[in-house]
Amino acid sequence: MVDIGPGSGEILVIWARNQESDVDHYEIWWSEAPGGSKVLVDTVPHDPSRLGGLSQDLGGGRTGYTDVGGRSWDPGRNCYQVRAVDASGNQGPLPPEVCLPDPAPEQVTGLTVGPGGGSLEVGVIWRRTADQDIDHYEIWYSEQPGQAKAMIATVPDAPAGGRAIDLGDGRIEYIDYPRDLVDGTNCYQVAAVDRDGRPGPRSVEVCYRG
């Protein structure tokens, strides 16, 4: 796996040590972008007792290496491969590359729930997240506070009209209809979903107040 390291510009590369008895060390290969030409960053001993400096024994048969090459945190880039080399210098195959993960969307904030402007309409308003790759938002609903919610709608990040309205100033409104407008009922959460289909955490629950 590849993850952000403990300091600025550092990336932590983690792998499971090979179980073959004649493994001597590992080569760490890096490219800036997926599928790019790789360069050898460093070699790391197989024997945990020989680790030190930038490499460490993480336990559970895993080794970690901190790349301090000043890489930027650029999701989906900074790609690594690690392969084993035996005592005779024979190199094992390069595994599939692993790149810095693209984090899930942020939690939606600014959720408000109130009258929607028409009979039996509830207006659900929230703020867009700061993520640049949001595809849509999920609207989750329960009749009473704290109940398990069902997803009732999806709203594009750039709504084109209908029940979903771009209010400007980074806010979106969804008109839920028909609902009985009773204070303390009609409870909602909203979650952002990115273009890879990954949902962020749902917002706090907010219920209707007339």
Side-chain angles (χ1 to χ4, degrees), residues 22-195:
D22 62 344
V23 174
D24 180 73
H25 65 274
Y26 298 90
E27 296 176 344
I28 302 174
W29 294 82
W30 170 86
S31 67
E32 183 178 3
S37 179
K38 296 282 189 296
V39 296
L40 182 64
V41 173
D42 208 343
T43 60
V44 174
H46 171 70
D47 185 351
S49 67
R50 295 168 53 202
L51 298 175
L54 299 177
S55 58
Q56 55 186 309
D57 181 9
L58 299 180
R62 300 178 307 150
T63 295
Y65 174 82
T66 302
D67 183 3
V68 294
R71 321 291 185 199
S72 61
W73 173 259
D74 195 353
R77 300 175 71 84
N78 288 313
C79 303
Y80 293 83
Q81 293 172 292
V82 178
R83 70 177 170 190
V85 182
D86 68 19
S88 299
N90 298 309
Q91 299 170 319
L94 282 169
E97 67 181 4
V98 177
C99 306
L100 275 177
D102 195 352
E106 298 175 0
Q107 184 178 35
V108 170
T109 61
L111 180 64
T112 62
V113 175
S119 178
L120 301 180
E121 290 184 355
V122 176
V124 183
I125 300 174
W126 66 94
R127 287 198 169 276
R128 287 187 173 92
T129 70
D131 303 279
Q132 299 300 308
D133 64 342
I134 298 303
D135 180 75
H136 64 274
Y137 295 88
E138 297 174 340
I139 315 297
W140 292 81
Y141 170 85
S142 66
E143 184 177 352
Q144 299 292 333
Q147 287 182 339
K149 288 185 170 45
M151 188 175 68
I152 60 170
T154 60
V155 173
D157 184 53
R163 291 196 182 189
I165 306 166
D166 187 344
L167 298 178
D169 193 30
R171 297 180 304 149
I172 297 174
E173 180 176 20
Y174 173 75
I175 302 298
D176 188 19
Y177 171 88
R179 299 292 181 194
D180 290 328
L181 306 186
V182 179
D183 275 4
T185 65
N186 298 319
C187 302
Y188 298 84
Q189 291 176 293
V190 178
V193 181
D194 67 17
R195 296 189 186 103

